């Protein structure tokens, strides 16, 4: 059993007392306030893209939660938000939180569950009379999904020095708006972005709670799990260039049709991934000029590829590039691969993982193919992750779901972890 007398590891139905023991904490109130922000009614999914009105409204919600709790709230030079319980200059802080931005038509939980749970955990600790001996911070990292500017975990990468300010400023969204212009338009200073060693030096560990993006916990009947690792994964932009021409009057043999090379590449990606034991996805495509009766001049498509082993990821990419170049040769088209975002395998800090695991009752452990800010920050500090059961196993889609009592169990677990680390 854990300090709070709760047991998270074995998935027993949670006594209604959990909801009662959240007195002073209104998890559901926070959830209800945030839920409508950036929700696209036609699909039920979320469109909270970095520095767009919906995401700025999420930032206002974050600020409100912090102010209501008397936490000092700030936005750092990289657009990441922080709410401090205690004086950050004391150093040795324990940070927790996640992100508020979403993928296109994403679910309600991916990101926000970690931020709401962080505020709820602070409420729980305060309701139980706990005073931390070191500062605790709730963080909401910017552009974690890379849905607008293409690079995952852009805010935490900038903080950690994992991407140069110049490269970040030049990133463009689908409308050609640069990251620099988007930051400026939202009232932030793009000239200030970059590695923030002073801030990093004040934080001794980061614990991120996240909805599970798979089915392991429902199959193991575990409401809470502890993360062990994040698979290596990346994103590559593929550009297929051909010759625009008339769809009706151009003989098949006279065509250099980039759509054909692209189509074969998608099939080859699935085949190479299956053979290598990896996963590969093409979910985003841009066709120019995108006319019904015109052979395209160019097709751009983005590959997301991941694997438990780096060798499997490399094998998938190498095999795909070879197959695609051969096909382009046949089609008379050109193809280029550009790596846009890459995250090496992350093995979470063993000591921190054990401390967190013990504090929450040693629940099941989980490796994940999903990237997180905790993965990026693990290069600069010990990080750990807690996962909350997702009965659908679905994520990055409107049907992503977690039962409220599992969410509350997760908030209790996070509170126990923070209590262990901040004592
Ligand atoms: O794509 C991911 O793995 C994460 O959800 N950003
Ligand atoms: Mn995500
Ligand atoms: Mn996420």
């Amino acid at each position: 059993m854990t300090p709070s007398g709760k047991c998270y590891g074995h998935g027993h139905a949670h006594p209604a007392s959990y909801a009662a023991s959240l007195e002073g904490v209104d998890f559901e109130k926070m959830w209800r306030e945030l839920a409508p922000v950036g929700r696209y009614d036609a699909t039920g999914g979320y469109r909270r893209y970095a520095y767009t009105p919906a995401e700025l409204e999420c930032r206002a919600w974050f600020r409100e939660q912090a102010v209501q709790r008397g936490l000092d709230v700030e936005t750092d030079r990289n657009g990441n938000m922080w709410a401090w319980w205690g004086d950050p200059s004391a150093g040795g802080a324990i940070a927790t939180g996640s992100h508020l931005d979403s993928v296109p038509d994403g679910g309600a939980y991916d990101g926000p569950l970690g931020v709401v749970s962080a505020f709820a955990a602070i409420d729980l600790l305060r309701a139980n009379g706990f005073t931390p001996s070191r500062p605790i911070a709730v963080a909401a990292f910017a552009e974690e999904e890379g849905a607008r500017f293409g690079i995952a975990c852009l805010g935490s990468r900038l903080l950690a020095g994992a991407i140069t300010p110049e490269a970040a400023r030049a990133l463009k969204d689908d409308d050609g708006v640069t990251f620099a212009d988007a930051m400026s338009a939202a009232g932030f200073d793009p000239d200030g972005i970059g590695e923030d060693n002073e801030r990093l030096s004040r934080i001794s560990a980061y614990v991120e709670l996240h909805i599970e993006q798979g089915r392991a916990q429902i199959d193991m009947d575990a409401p809470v799990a502890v993360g062990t690792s994040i698979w290596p994964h990346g994103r590559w932009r593929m550009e297929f260039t051909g010759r625009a021409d008339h769809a009706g009057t151009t003989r098949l043999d006279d065509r250099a049709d980039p759509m054909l090379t692209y189509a074969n590449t998608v099939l080859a990606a699935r085949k190479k991934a299956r053979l290598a034991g990896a996963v590969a996805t093409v979910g985003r495509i841009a066709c120019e000029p995108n006319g019904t009766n015109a052979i395209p001049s160019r097709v751009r498509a983005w590959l997301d590829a991941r694997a438990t082993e780096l060798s499997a990821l490399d094998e998938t990419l190498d095999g795909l590039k070879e197959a695609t170049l051969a096909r382009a040769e046949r089609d008379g088209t050109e193809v280029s691969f550009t790596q846009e975002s890459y995250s090496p395998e992350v093995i979470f800090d063993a000591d921190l993982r054990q401390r967190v695991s013990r504090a929450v009752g040693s629940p099941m452990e989980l490796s994940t193919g999903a990237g997180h800010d905790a993965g990026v920050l693990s290069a600069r500090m010990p990080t750990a992750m807690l996962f909350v059961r997702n009965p659908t196993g679905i994520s990055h889609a409107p049907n992503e779901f977690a039962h409220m009592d599992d969410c509350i169990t997760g908030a209790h677990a996070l509170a126990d972890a923070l209590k262990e680390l901040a004592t």
Side-chain angles (χ1 to χ4, degrees), residues 101-295:
D101 66 298
S102 74
V103 296
D105 284 355
Y109 300 82
D110 177 350
L113 182 62
V115 179
V116 171
S117 302
F119 284 119
I122 286 180
D123 293 346
L124 271 170
L125 291 170
R126 281 173 162 174
N128 294 328
F130 176 73
T131 304
S133 59
R134 51 177 73 216
I136 290 178
V138 177
F141 291 101
E143 183 64 328
E144 190 275 346
E145 298 290 2
R148 184 174 178 191
F149 294 101
I151 293 203
C153 302
L154 186 53
S156 55
R157 283 179 202 266
L158 280 166
L159 167 66
I163 182 172
T164 65
E166 296 73 26
R169 275 191 282 267
L171 292 172
K172 287 185 180 168
D173 68 9
D174 285 345
D175 299 326
V177 177
T178 64
F179 181 66
D181 289 345
M183 276 192 87
S184 302
F188 297 95
D189 172 17
D191 295 331
I193 64 176
E195 188 172 12
D196 193 342
N197 287 315
E198 186 193 353
R199 180 173 299 272
L200 290 168
S201 69
R202 291 193 204 142
I203 302 167
S204 63
Y206 172 62
V207 182
E208 179 167 357
L209 181 144
H210 204 281
I211 187 167
E212 183 197 6
Q213 295 166 299
R215 290 193 49 84
Q217 288 176 245
I218 188 80
D219 295 343
M220 297 290 286
D221 189 20
V224 170
V226 171
T228 53
S229 69
I230 297 177
W231 303 0
H233 61 285
R235 304 175 183 189
W236 289 265
R237 186 181 73 253
M238 304 181 290
E239 298 201 8
F240 305 88
T241 310
R243 193 173 49 252
D245 212 329
H246 194 294
T249 57
T250 311
R251 295 186 318 150
L252 294 184
D253 290 344
D254 295 340
R255 295 183 183 209
D257 183 351
M259 190 63 87
L260 215 54
T261 316
Y262 154 75
N264 275 278
T265 299
V266 173
L267 297 173
R270 169 60 71 92
K271 182 178 175 187
K272 299 299 178 188
R274 185 178 297 286
L275 292 173
V279 291
T281 312
V282 177
R284 179 183 167 207
I285 174 175
C287 173
E288 296 159 44
N290 215 25
T292 304
N293 56 354
I295 300 169

Side-chain angles (χ1 to χ4, degrees), residues 68-83:
Q68 274 177 11
R69 292 168 173 79
L71 305 176
D72 292 332
V73 58
E74 55 167 342
T75 302
D76 70 16
R77 66 172 69 147
N78 295 306
N80 306 307
M81 297 192 79
W82 301 81

Side-chain angles (χ1 to χ4, degrees), residues 8 12 23 40 55 68-69 114 131 152 219 245 253-254 340 343 350 353 375 415 418:
Y8 311 104
H12 304 308
E23 77 280 338
Y40 190 59
E55 194 250 14
Q68 274 177 11
R69 292 168 173 79
T131 304
D219 295 343
D245 212 329
D253 290 344
D254 295 340
E340 281 198 342
S343 308
R353 173 166 57 80
L418 294 177

Side-chain angles (χ1 to χ4, degrees), residues 350-360 417 420-423:
D351 293 342
L352 183 64
R353 173 166 57 80
Q354 279 151 21
R355 283 186 71 189
V356 165
S357 182
R358 261 199 317 275
V360 304
E420 158 64 23
L421 300 175
T423 296

